[in-house]
Amino acid sequence: LNKKISDADFLERLNQIIYDTEVAYWELVLAINTVQINQVAVDLAQEQLMMDERRAEVGEGSLIDIISAKAELERRKEALAISTNKLFVAENALKLLMTKELDSPFWSQSLEVKKQAQKTHETLPNLDEALTKSLQKRPEFARLAERLKINELDRVYSFNQGLPRADLVGEVAMRGLAGAGISTPDTIIERAEIYSRFQGDYLDNWANLASGDFKTVKLGLNVSWPVSPNITKRILEKNKVERHQIELELKQLQLKVRTEIYNAYNSLQVAQQRITAAEAGLKDAEKQLEGENQKFKIGLSSNFIVLTRQNDLSQAQLRMITAITDYNKAYSEFFRASGEILDEHNIKLKKASYRK
């Protein structure tokens, strides 16, 4: 039973490591995309500054437009530097889960993302099915079940210890004896008879033993009665309290797992809604910037409005990638909470062989 508890502890730890690795991966994806978005924003600000400078040279622009463009460019460079640092931190967080070697060259290498965040799945996971499967899949339930079994075994053992006990004991022994005889004046038994059977050496000992002529049979009955039944009673009461505590832990775990599944499922639904809204907002931001650039070229818009539309586009892109990342993290959390994260990644564990 203790082995099964250890197996449950290992499985719980493995599930958590897989989940933490997934979350760290999606954080890295978000950090990479954020750097890319901020880099594009810096490039747009530089283009806008060059355009303002050319307009000023031909007398169509003003000095305040150039100053505004420079200030916005520096602000975006600062945002790019901050996001680059966050990318560095996200990379190291994932590396920490992938290697434990301090001198590994892995630490100086950049991680390459192979799988981008998925917008949504065709259908959301089945909530009712996840609630049912969690009772069998979550290793915490298996650990508590084994603790209940141990508690029951302890109860039966303690109860039996408080009962009267009767043991039937028996012994069958064979003996062998041989050696040099000692003559005494008052010997009653004929020496010839003694010497003929028992005189000899070590091998004669074994010969007499093997003959089976010298057997000893003992048979008896040992009866014992507990001196103080109160001791057994107190042990049984303690066992009952421990069982009650385990049952309370089980109920609390059921509520905890159910809440985690509900929260993850709700996060999935909210993330879907956020992605839909972000997609629409991103399309509008792209059209607004494109239209504002056209108006700016013919003198119908200002530098401030163009920069504002660029910022709106960057914010829409960030909202989009953040919503997608949150969806993928909630998807991982849902399968961790239901205990199906190994199945979701098609991970099979081989049963270990234990030495008896």
Side-chain angles (χ1 to χ4, degrees):
L1 294 178
N2 288 329
K3 178 185 74 66
K4 291 183 179 180
I5 291 178
S6 298
D7 290 343
D9 292 340
F10 169 77
L11 189 57
E12 180 184 5
R13 179 59 181 158
L14 178 60
N15 288 344
Q16 188 64 44
I17 290 175
I18 294 175
Y19 169 73
D20 291 342
T21 304
E22 279 195 293
V23 171
Y25 179 84
W26 295 126
E27 289 290 348
L28 176 61
V29 171
L30 175 61
I32 291 175
N33 281 273
T34 301
V35 169
Q36 294 173 349
I37 291 171
N38 287 332
Q39 182 61 61
V40 171
V42 169
D43 295 340
L44 289 175
Q46 289 177 333
E47 291 179 5
Q48 186 65 31
L49 176 60
M50 293 173 61
M51 189 180 299
D52 289 336
E53 290 175 342
R54 288 196 298 267
R55 286 168 58 86
E57 289 176 357
V58 297
E60 295 181 0
S62 62
L63 180 61
I64 191 64
D65 288 339
I66 296 177
I67 295 175
S68 298
K70 287 182 177 180
E72 181 62 22
L73 175 60
E74 296 304 318
R75 187 194 67 79
R76 295 183 187 182
K77 285 182 177 180
E78 179 186 7
L80 177 60
I82 294 174
S83 62
T84 302
N85 180 66
K86 290 183 178 180
L87 172 58
F88 178 78
V89 173
E91 271 193 344
N92 286 337
L94 184 55
K95 289 176 181 178
L96 185 61
L97 293 168
M98 298 173 66
T99 181
K100 300 299 181 183
E101 299 296 333
L102 296 177
D103 55 350
S104 173
F106 187 65
W107 289 101
S108 60
Q109 299 173 358
S110 297
L111 296 180
E112 182 179 354
V113 173
K114 295 292 186 180
K115 179 182 178 182
Q116 289 292 335
Q118 185 170 347
K119 288 185 178 180
T120 57
H121 295 81
E122 294 182 2
T123 57
L124 288 178
N126 190 296
L127 178 60
D128 294 332
E129 184 178 336
L131 291 171
T132 302
K133 285 186 176 181
S134 65
L135 298 177
Q136 291 81 35
K137 293 290 187 177
R138 284 287 289 259
E140 297 96 317
F141 288 113
R143 180 171 57 244
L144 288 178
E146 296 306 316
R147 287 177 59 190
L148 284 173
K149 290 180 182 179
I150 293 175
N151 178 269
E152 178 62 18
L153 291 175
D154 290 341
R155 185 194 67 80
V156 173
Y157 174 78
S158 299
F159 178 79
N160 290 338
Q161 290 298 105
L163 297 176
R165 179 173 178 175
D167 296 322
L168 182 64
V169 295
E171 177 184 342
V172 178
M174 292 188 298
R175 290 175 172 82
L177 178 61
I182 300 176
S183 299
T184 58
D186 56 347
T187 301
I188 300 176
I189 305 176
E190 293 290 338
R191 293 187 180 89
E193 183 180 346
I194 296 176
Y195 293 158
S196 65
R197 191 61 190 265
F198 299 112
Q199 189 175 13
D201 53 15
Y202 180 73
L203 294 178
D204 293 314
N205 279 329
W206 286 102
N208 289 336
L209 177 64
S211 68
D213 293 335
F214 307 99
K215 294 180 180 177
T216 301
V217 179
K218 294 181 181 180
L219 186 63
L221 181 64
N222 291 337
V223 179
S224 60
W225 192 277
V227 177
S228 177
N230 291 331
I231 296 178
T232 301
K233 184 178 180 181
R234 286 195 293 268
I235 294 176
L236 290 174
E237 287 297 329
K238 179 182 177 182
N239 180 272
K240 184 177 180 180
V241 171
E242 290 176 351
R243 182 177 185 85
H244 182 65
Q245 290 176 342
I246 297 174
E247 290 173 346
L248 286 178
E249 288 183 35
L250 180 59
K251 291 180 180 179
Q252 292 173 353
L253 178 61
Q254 290 172 342
L255 290 174
K256 176 176 176 290
V257 170
R258 180 175 288 267
T259 302
E260 288 177 351
I261 294 175
Y262 276 133
N263 289 343
Y265 191 80
N266 185 70
S267 297
L268 281 172
Q269 292 178 316
V270 172
Q272 276 190 329
Q273 298 170 4
R274 288 171 56 197
I275 291 173
T276 301
E279 283 181 332
L282 180 57
K283 291 179 181 179
D284 292 340
E286 290 173 345
K287 292 179 181 178
Q288 286 180 329
L289 177 58
E290 182 181 358
E292 211 63 48
N293 284 331
Q294 296 296 329
K295 291 167 62 177
F296 182 79
K297 290 179 180 179
I298 60 177
L300 297 179
S301 182
S302 66
N303 178 71
F304 174 78
I305 297 179
V306 172
L307 292 175
T308 300
R309 295 299 182 225
Q310 290 178 358
N311 288 331
D312 291 342
L313 177 59
S314 297
Q315 291 301 316
Q317 292 171 335
L318 288 173
R319 285 194 297 271
M320 182 67 180
I321 187 59
T322 301
I324 294 175
T325 303
D326 289 345
Y327 174 86
N328 283 270
K329 289 161 62 177
Y331 194 81
S332 300
E333 167 61 15
F334 181 85
F335 285 100
R336 184 207 65 81
S338 64
E340 300 176 273
I341 194 166
L342 294 180
D343 297 336
E344 177 64 17
H345 293 283
N346 198 27
I347 298 176
K348 305 295 182 183
L349 298 179
K350 293 183 179 180
K351 291 185 178 181
S353 58
Y354 294 88
R355 294 182 178 178
K356 295 184 179 180

